[in-house]
Amino acid sequence: MKGRDNIQPVGHEAILSSAGSFTAFSFGGYNIRFRAPYSLERYVDVVRWDDGYLVVLAKYRHNAEPEEEYIDLKPILEGLYIDPVTFLKPIKSVRIAYA
């Protein structure tokens, strides 16, 4: 049985996490890392996944309560020369996972 902290994606599920000053989005053998906000401690929950657009709850050092954060993966993928339509199409859900 796979637990919530298992960082391996399952089927059509992608994984979102953070480490240091980077956010990581993993799916289909790709582990895409990009700069996270400077005071991010960790992602807490995925509120919505909409074909490359994420609404998440994030915990920041300067606030005791999680805040809503928005991540648009399409420009990040384009910057890496990854076709967003092809890459994002099979993803049905995203979960937060930390090792």
Side-chain angles (χ1 to χ4, degrees), residues 25-70:
F25 186 86
S26 301
F27 182 76
Y30 289 89
N31 187 28
I32 299 165
R33 292 174 21 133
F34 49 94
R35 276 273 193 219
Y38 76 94
S39 64
L40 176 70
E41 289 181 353
R42 67 186 291 124
Y43 293 108
V44 177
D45 194 20
V46 175
V47 176
R48 187 178 69 196
W49 165 253
D50 186 14
D51 192 32
Y53 188 77
L54 281 159
V55 179
V56 297
L57 291 180
K59 173 66 180 82
Y60 293 98
R61 283 191 297 265
H62 62 271
N63 193 346
E65 297 298 317
E67 299 177 35
E68 218 169 63
E69 178 73 40
Y70 310 95

Side-chain angles (χ1 to χ4, degrees), residues 1 4 7-10 13 15 18 25 40 42 46 48 52 55 66 70 72 74 79 81 83 93 95:
M1 187 166 127
R4 180 168 173 79
I7 58 170
Q8 296 299 315
V10 179
E13 179 181 68
I15 302 295
S18 62
F25 186 86
L40 176 70
R42 67 186 291 124
V46 175
R48 187 178 69 196
V55 179
Y70 310 95
D72 187 356
K74 289 179 182 179
Y81 302 102
D83 178 42
S93 64
R95 72 178 162 100

